[in-house]
């Protein structure tokens, strides 16, 4: 497995056994679950963990993250949905909670109508944009200057479909060339991306960092460096709003006028024997950890609860090394195992190359 943090790796990849090992430090509050995928002969062993952010200036602040795990989604034993929502703005928690309720309901309706199976990407787009429209109309949610990112991964038999709006992320751990490699299942939608930057500018947005808005840097410069200083943000042409560091989201009604949209990007992959696990997490994890670093940490632990705890702890530490606060941190880790190995009572990951029929 990929080496990380000075710990050695196994010389050969793990197979799809049932796991069961515990790493140092316990599970840190992570919850464990399991779901069969009979149509593909797989078992999903998953863990979830949510850690509220540390905000010294707002000690009573509630977490604005939300997540969901819906196994046997829409009553189908081969469908399993995993999603993370990262709210922002004054009503961020309400927006994330609204999306957590609306998205699976709309996707379930698509499943019932047959459109989810026929065209998962179109069904995801319709569901996310429908959730966005419902949020705008909801009497109890003020999304005028608030919203949420959303990343959802749907296991559908032997396929994995991922839909994303914003800068939360999904990534798979795939065995390649003698190690576990990170395969991004989503792409952060931020002004760092030239295509997204051009799209919002065509809608009338200004793209500048706070320093540029305040006149401390050349407003025409595009020399932003990830992880250094304030990122480029989306602003109205003649106003100091919305200032979003992402270019797609659910909610954010005022930002829609300058191109911040709810249409997701969708990626579909076939689950192969080389796909060992996948991760769905908020940007509280990925702000200071790369996809490969997260995958390397997951590969160090047989039990996904221990991986959740280790990644959350490392993310928390890195936030405090860079800032005087931490973001909310939410992570879902899903191990993909062969049902045959699980039924045989395997308790350790094998050292042989992963195989399944």
């Amino acid at each position: 497995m990929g080496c990380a943090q000075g710990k050695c790796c196994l010389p050969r990849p793990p197979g799809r056994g049932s796991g069961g090992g515990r790493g140092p430090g316990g599970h840190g509050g992570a919850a464990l679950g399991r779901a069969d995928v009979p149509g593909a002969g797989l078992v999903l062993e998953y863990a979830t963990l949510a850690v509220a952010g540390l905000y010294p200036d707002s000690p009573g602040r509630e977490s604005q993250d939300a997540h969901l795990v819906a196994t046997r989604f829409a009553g189908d034993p081969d469908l399993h949905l995993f999603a993370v929502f990262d709210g922002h703005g004054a009503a961020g928690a309400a927006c994330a909670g609204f999306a957590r309720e609306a998205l699976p309901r709309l996707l379930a309706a698509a499943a019932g109508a047959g459109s989810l199976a026929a065209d998962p990407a179109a069904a995801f787009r319709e569901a996310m944009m429908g959730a966005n429209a419902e949020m705008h109309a909801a009497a109890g949610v003020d999304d005028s200057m608030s919203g949420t990112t959303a990343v959802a991964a749907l296991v559908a038999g032997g396929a994995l479909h991922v839909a994303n709006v914003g800068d939360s992320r999904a990534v798979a751990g795939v065995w390649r060339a003698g190690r576990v490699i990170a395969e991004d299942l989503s792409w952060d939608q931020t002004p760092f991306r030239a295509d997204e930057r051009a799209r919002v500018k065509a809608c009338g947005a200004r793209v500048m960092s706070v320093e540029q808005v305040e006149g401390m840097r050349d407003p025409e410069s595009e020399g932003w460096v990830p992880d250094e200083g304030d990122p480029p943000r989306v602003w109205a042409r003649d106003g100091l709003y919305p200032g979003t560091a992402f270019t797609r989201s659910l909610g954010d009604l005022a930002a829609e006028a300058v191109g911040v949209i709810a249409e997701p990007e969708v990626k579909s992959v076939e689950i192969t024997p080389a796909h060992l696990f996948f991760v769905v997490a908020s940007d509280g994890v990925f702000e200071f950890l790369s996809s490969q670093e997260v995958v390397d940490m997951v590969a160090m632990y047989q039990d996904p609860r221990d991986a959740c705890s280790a990644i959350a702890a490392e993310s928390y530490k890195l936030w405090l090394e860079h800032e005087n606060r931490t973001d909310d941190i939410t992570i879902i880790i899903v191990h993909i195992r062969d049902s045959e190995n699980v039924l045989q009572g395997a308790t350790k990951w094998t050292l042989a190359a992963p195989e399944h029929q």
Side-chain angles (χ1 to χ4, degrees):
M1 300 177 183
C3 298
Q5 299 194 353
K7 296 186 179 181
C8 276
C9 53
L10 290 174
R12 302 183 68 185
R16 298 190 192 274
S18 65
R22 288 192 61 180
H27 302 314
L32 184 68
R34 171 180 154 163
D36 295 326
V37 192
L42 300 174
V43 172
L44 308 178
E45 185 180 50
Y46 59 87
T48 64
L49 181 63
V51 179
L54 173 66
Y55 288 83
D57 295 334
S58 304
R61 177 186 178 278
E62 65 177 327
S63 173
Q64 293 186 308
D65 280 4
H67 69 278
L68 73 86
V69 173
T71 57
R72 296 180 60 90
F73 183 66
D76 188 330
D78 281 331
L79 292 181
H80 308 280
L81 180 65
F82 306 87
V84 168
F85 308 90
D86 183 355
H88 51 264
C95 291
F98 187 95
R100 177 176 57 189
E101 182 280 329
L103 180 63
R105 172 171 49 78
L106 294 169
L107 273 179
S115 58
L116 182 59
D119 191 343
F124 258 121
R125 291 188 185 100
E126 183 175 348
M128 283 199 172
M129 295 176 75
N132 182 64
E134 288 189 6
M135 192 182 300
H136 292 340
V141 180
D142 179 6
D143 72 344
S144 57
M145 295 291 288
S146 299
T148 182
T149 66
V151 59
L154 178 71
V155 174
L160 179 60
H161 309 287
V162 176
N164 178 60
V165 290
D167 56 1
S168 292
R169 191 180 303 175
V171 59
V174 183
W175 184 259
R176 289 180 185 153
R179 61 169 297 190
V180 182
I181 299 296
E183 177 185 305
D184 281 322
L185 300 172
S186 67
W187 304 272
D188 297 357
Q189 296 145 352
T190 76
F192 279 116
R193 279 177 48 175
D195 58 339
E196 287 292 283
R197 190 163 65 247
R199 185 181 59 75
V200 297
K201 283 186 172 182
C203 294
R206 296 179 297 162
V207 176
M208 294 187 291
S209 67
V210 170
E211 289 182 341
Q212 289 174 301
V213 169
E214 293 178 344
M216 299 171 60
R217 287 186 55 197
D218 178 4
E220 302 299 324
S221 171
E222 294 190 348
W224 309 289
V225 179
D227 302 328
E228 291 186 15
D230 192 65
R233 297 176 179 272
V234 179
W235 306 90
R237 186 178 300 278
D238 300 313
L240 295 180
Y241 70 92
T244 63
F246 44 82
T247 54
R248 304 194 190 200
S249 70
L250 305 182
D252 292 298
L253 181 61
E256 285 189 0
V258 287
V260 178
I261 59 175
E263 181 178 358
E265 293 179 305
V266 183
K267 180 174 181 176
S268 297
V269 299
E270 178 187 357
I271 298 173
T272 71
H275 286 85
L276 304 180
F277 56 81
F278 63 89
V279 179
V280 183
S282 65
D283 75 328
V285 169
F286 291 107
E287 181 72 18
F288 300 111
L289 289 173
S290 69
S291 293
Q292 187 62 53
E293 287 170 328
V294 168
V295 162
D296 284 343
M297 293 183 72
V298 175
M300 292 168 61
Y301 299 92
Q302 295 180 31
D303 190 318
R305 291 174 294 182
D306 295 318
C308 280
S309 298
I311 292 168
E314 181 67 10
S315 301
Y316 201 91
K317 178 178 75 72
L318 290 171
W319 272 97
L320 292 180
E321 287 178 0
H322 289 82
E323 301 190 20
N324 65 350
R325 67 172 185 95
T326 77
D327 198 357
D328 302 320
I329 294 168
T330 301
I331 183 168
I332 303 172
I333 296 173
V334 183
H335 283 177
I336 306 170
R337 308 190 189 280
D338 275 325
S339 59
E340 181 180 354
N341 289 339
V342 173
L343 290 173
Q344 289 175 348
T347 58
K348 295 182 179 179
W349 289 8
T350 70
L351 297 181
E355 295 180 356
H356 70 76
Q357 300 298 322

